[in-house]
Amino acid sequence: MITTPTLLCFAHGLEAKAFLQNLDFQPLGTEFYHSTSKDLYLSVTGEGPLKALSQTLQHLTQHPRIRKVVNMGLCGGLSEGSQSIGDILDVRTIYSDRPDDEQGVQFHSFSTNAESRVDLVTAWRRITSIEKAQELARFAQLVDREAWGHAYACKQLSRDFQCKKIVSDFATNLEQCFEVRAKALEYSQALFEHYFSVIEPDFPTQPPEFDFDIKGFYLTNQQLSQIKKLLPEGTKKASLAIDTILLAGILGSEEHPKKRTQRLIEALRQSQHPLEDRLQNQVNQRLQPLTDQGWTVTFDRDLESPRLEIKTSFDRPEEVQARSRALASFDIQSWLRLFEGELDV
Amino acid sequence: MFDRIFIEQEVKDLPATEKILRTFPDLPITEIDQVDKVFGQVKKPYLQKRETLNLFLGKKRGQLVKEAPEAYGAAGAPHYYFVHAYNCIYECQYCYLQGYFHSPDIVLFLNHAEIAEEIHRVADQHPDQTVWFHAGEFSDSLALSHLSGELDFYFDCFKKRPTAKLELRTKSANIRELLKLEPAPNIITSFSLSPDKASKHFDLKTPPLKARLAAMKALSDAGHPLAIHLDPIIYQPNFIEAYDQMLSQLTNQIDLNRIQYISLGVVRFTKDVYREVRNNYPQTSEFRGNFKTSFDGKVRYDRPTRMYILNQVKALCSKYGASEDQIYLCME
Ligand code: SF4
């Protein structure tokens, strides 16, 4: 089975303990491990968004095969009542407070694909006042010290990102934090069990690359990418996305596979943008009297302005006459009417 | 509908605020100094509006009435818009709000008296002209009107100013509050319509065409002046038949002669909005392909295509009885 090489990030060794104890992790560097059996990487980044950011960037650049990062660990709740201690929550959007002592939260946020309704704000300093907790509670339900750094690194390097947090205390109850350390191992075990029962129950296979598995076509790489663009975004299998009637028509022809591919691209383009095609024909048709007689015609490719520039060169008097005649009889009104929407000729 | 309510201290004791809070007795409330200090301070993903929305109640500050962009309404008259809300409960795929604010949360401004004062001041600057004021530039004018409760206020304001006109632009069928009010000839409710299939495809969460047409009929029967926006028209291969059918459904209910004006416009985006639209709705093939940056920097179809579409729909309107002076082209 092909697995998605994944990096698990924790802030503290205690949070990662159950993973390190239960799997075959071998050290690759300082606080950085790899499990061959599960193809999982694990990093203990240290506390704070800067450490999270720099460690994740470093691991992802040194190991470009890692496609996904999962940040797990403890977090604080910002409003008692909506979460309970011990809840494991999927985070939807991650905000960050401002590193300078200014009020409010940084503008940039990062979203995961989680379907949850729980948001988190990453604090640059430990929360030491109820007022600070209340200020952050305007933006999110949870607070941690790292997730934003991990998410930022993943965004920069286009990696999937997931964030799973276990609520260990409430930032509005500053006395609880002493109990957290005592329970850290228990939380680590809960995250471990959650990971293998919910997040990766049977190790997802790597998403298949776009698959063009229709016999009878010959595709260059460029044509393959053209076809990908013409199919709905996210399409994985061309055979399912291309209209079977269209396909049958093209495959039934006697043409060479290369020519068929060209026809397929044309047909796909036409089916998506039929008006565009009609317009192109109209443009060609209206300029044809000039181009047929050897005039080079330049016009606004965006078709916003009807301005035409024409030029020619000639060697013989007959050419001068033929081109003059073509120019004199050129139907400029018809060209202008195209810009008033006359496409029905 | 909402997760939490944020209230500016300055508006917390207003009757309008109290009324809104009575509607949501169980929602957590947070008092804030100013809406701007929280709303839009962070980039909240637009599509989160599908799951959670916060409601902000506050006071509109800064310029309360603004000049509308050129070609906004019928030519020859000054056009202004005023803002009494930000954002919308609907989710039209082309909506420019998705690139405009940094948050989809709903903001209701409650300082209507100040806004009305400014409307009078602006109208006074045009003593010899009919001045148009448009509501709903950053929201739908009726969708939340049962909650925001400002309609009677603006009706009073414009009844005192018969030479100025108010346009309430909507895609909703929420006419309960409007029907309670005495119609005024200078207050026009304009409905944005698109064919049923297109509406289901692009105008997510909006009432179906049938409901909008029924709402129009009820308002028309009650004597409220109406207008129509066939805008944005999005090219689909069968658009002519689709608009034909829609106009037929419309004219079965309402005589087009009773419609004050019909505006036609083809889909267009600012560059930022276009980027957001492509990001938020990558599967919508209608927003790929034939879009160009045009004369004013907006992203739209090329000119021949736009004019072709507008001519076709205009011809259909004429076929169903609209006169030449009733129709104007929006933003063209
Ligand atoms: S109704 Fe108007 S404001 Fe609301 S989502 Fe649709 S386009 Fe946007």
Side-chain angles (χ1 to χ4, degrees), chain A residues 86-281:
Chain A
D87 283 354
I88 298 181
L89 300 162
D90 233 338
V91 174
R92 176 178 61 178
T93 298
I94 297 145
Y95 302 104
S96 152
D97 78 343
R98 295 186 206 223
D100 38 34
D101 275 322
E102 269 182 60
Q103 270 216 325
V105 166
Q106 279 196 4
F107 176 68
H108 286 291
S109 63
F110 300 102
S111 291
T112 67
N113 290 328
E115 281 175 6
S116 88
R117 290 162 157 236
V118 179
D119 301 326
L120 174 144
V121 57
T122 294
W124 283 68
R125 294 196 173 79
R126 287 192 174 209
I127 309 285
T128 50
S129 72
I130 305 275
E131 291 71 33
K132 182 71 183 170
Q134 282 168 344
E135 181 202 318
L136 297 182
R138 295 172 176 182
F139 302 95
Q141 300 97 317
L142 304 178
V143 58
D144 85 336
R145 306 271 338 272
E146 293 80 25
W148 196 81
H150 298 300
Y152 192 104
C154 289
K155 176 84 178 171
Q156 293 299 313
L157 299 175
S158 305
R159 299 297 199 276
D160 285 347
F161 180 64
Q162 241 183 321
C163 181
K164 283 271 178 184
K165 294 282 173 174
I166 186 162
V167 182
S168 59
D169 56 346
F170 280 93
T172 41
N173 182 348
L174 300 172
E175 278 146 32
Q176 276 167 347
C177 54
F178 299 106
E179 296 161 28
V180 174
R181 222 184 135 72
K183 283 193 147 188
L185 265 183
E186 196 183 301
Y187 291 144
S188 175
Q189 188 61 31
L191 285 170
F192 177 78
E193 281 161 20
H194 183 84
Y195 186 82
F196 287 104
S197 62
V198 179
I199 309 184
E200 307 270 344
D202 44 25
F203 283 95
T205 53
Q206 211 152 17
E209 269 295 293
F210 177 74
D211 177 11
F212 191 94
D213 55 353
I214 306 166
K215 291 197 178 58
F217 291 93
Y218 175 84
L219 274 79
T220 62
N221 279 342
Q222 196 193 354
Q223 286 172 321
L224 185 65
S225 90
Q226 277 176 315
I227 290 176
K228 263 164 98 173
K229 277 194 195 137
L230 286 164
L231 296 177
E233 234 145 289
T235 298
K236 298 283 178 226
K237 265 192 175 307
S239 52
L240 298 176
I242 298 173
D243 182 335
T244 41
I245 300 172
L246 173 78
L247 212 50
I250 296 173
L251 285 171
S253 72
E254 293 291 306
E255 290 158 333
H256 187 274
K258 274 188 185 171
K259 181 89 180 120
R260 279 184 184 156
T261 308
Q262 202 45 48
R263 272 230 292 144
L264 176 65
I265 292 171
E266 285 305 310
L268 284 173
R269 192 172 286 141
Q270 267 183 40
S271 68
Q272 282 205 358
H273 308 294
L275 205 55
E276 207 172 344
D277 209 58
R278 195 155 126 205
L279 179 59
Q280 195 51 53
N281 286 337

Side-chain angles (χ1 to χ4, degrees), chain A residues 92-93 95 98 105-107 109 111 117 137-138 233 275 278-279 302-304 338-341, chain B residues 4 6 41-45 48 51-52 102 283 288 292 294 302-308 311:
Chain A
R92 176 178 61 178
T93 298
Y95 302 104
R98 295 186 206 223
V105 166
Q106 279 196 4
F107 176 68
S109 63
S111 291
R117 290 162 157 236
R138 295 172 176 182
E233 234 145 289
L275 205 55
R278 195 155 126 205
L279 179 59
D302 287 342
L303 293 177
E304 201 47 52
L338 184 69
F339 288 80
E340 292 311 312
Chain B
R4 316 165 64 176
F6 290 88
Q41 283 295 310
V42 291
K43 177 99 179 119
K44 188 170 170 182
Q48 262 182 33
E51 300 127 30
T52 49
H102 299 307
Q283 304 285 351
R288 278 183 264 151
K292 314 261 163 67
S294 69
D302 53 62
R303 183 175 164 87
T305 304
R306 296 197 306 270
M307 295 311 289
Y308 170 75
N311 292 345

